[in-house]
Amino acid sequence: MGASKTEHFTEEQNELAKLMKALAHPARIAILEHLLKVNECICGDIVSELPLAQPTVSQHLKEMKNVGIIKGTIEGNSICYCLDENTIDKLHLYFKEISTKLSERISCC
């Protein structure tokens, strides 16, 4: 596999790519949607919602947490997860900018 040459892209482009890569799995989209619905929960709550084993859900949560899509606070023996609003705002602004620019363009193709 070739090098990704990330040094040729802006910091913002690299950050957005990491965020989108972390969301590029249906289980992670389901986790995001569940957190939107319940605001915060522990891993076991997500396991009961998804057709995945606890270690698999934990791995998905770890990947999402590593890039900042979610955050977690320790509550007793568990970690309570919620969406990181700042990261979600970055994604929202990026797609809003795309949508705005597309609406200003003349149709193509």
Side-chain angles (χ1 to χ4, degrees), residues 55-105:
T56 304
V57 171
S58 290
Q59 184 61 36
H60 285 302
L61 289 168
K62 178 184 172 188
E63 294 298 323
M64 293 173 76
K65 191 169 187 283
N66 284 344
V67 297
I69 294 169
I70 61 173
K71 51 188 175 182
T73 56
I74 298 173
E75 291 187 3
N77 294 334
S78 302
I79 299 176
C80 186
Y81 294 99
C82 65
L83 294 173
D84 187 317
E85 297 87 0
N86 293 327
T87 302
I88 301 302
D89 282 345
K90 285 179 191 176
L91 289 168
H92 175 256
L93 289 173
Y94 179 72
F95 285 110
K96 183 178 178 183
E97 184 178 328
I98 289 173
S99 181
T100 300
K101 287 181 180 178
L102 283 174
S103 68
E104 293 169 353
R105 290 173 55 179

Side-chain angles (χ1 to χ4, degrees), residues 31 34-35 38-50 54 57-58 61 70-83:
I31 290 168
H34 181 69
L35 288 171
V38 299
N39 193 41
E40 61 181 30
C41 65
I42 60 172
C43 180
D45 296 334
I46 297 169
V47 171
S48 66
E49 289 291 316
L50 301 179
Q54 184 274 325
V57 171
S58 290
L61 289 168
I70 61 173
K71 51 188 175 182
T73 56
I74 298 173
E75 291 187 3
N77 294 334
S78 302
I79 299 176
C80 186
Y81 294 99
C82 65
L83 294 173

Side-chain angles (χ1 to χ4, degrees), residues 15-28:
E15 181 182 352
L16 284 165
K18 285 179 187 176
L19 291 173
M20 290 183 204
K21 183 177 180 183
L23 285 173
H25 192 287
R28 295 177 190 172

Side-chain angles (χ1 to χ4, degrees), residues 1-15 17-18 21:
M1 182 183 277
S4 61
K5 299 186 180 186
T6 57
E7 70 274 4
H8 296 290
F9 302 98
T10 68
E11 185 177 330
E12 182 181 354
Q13 289 168 332
N14 283 306
E15 181 182 352
K18 285 179 187 176
K21 183 177 180 183

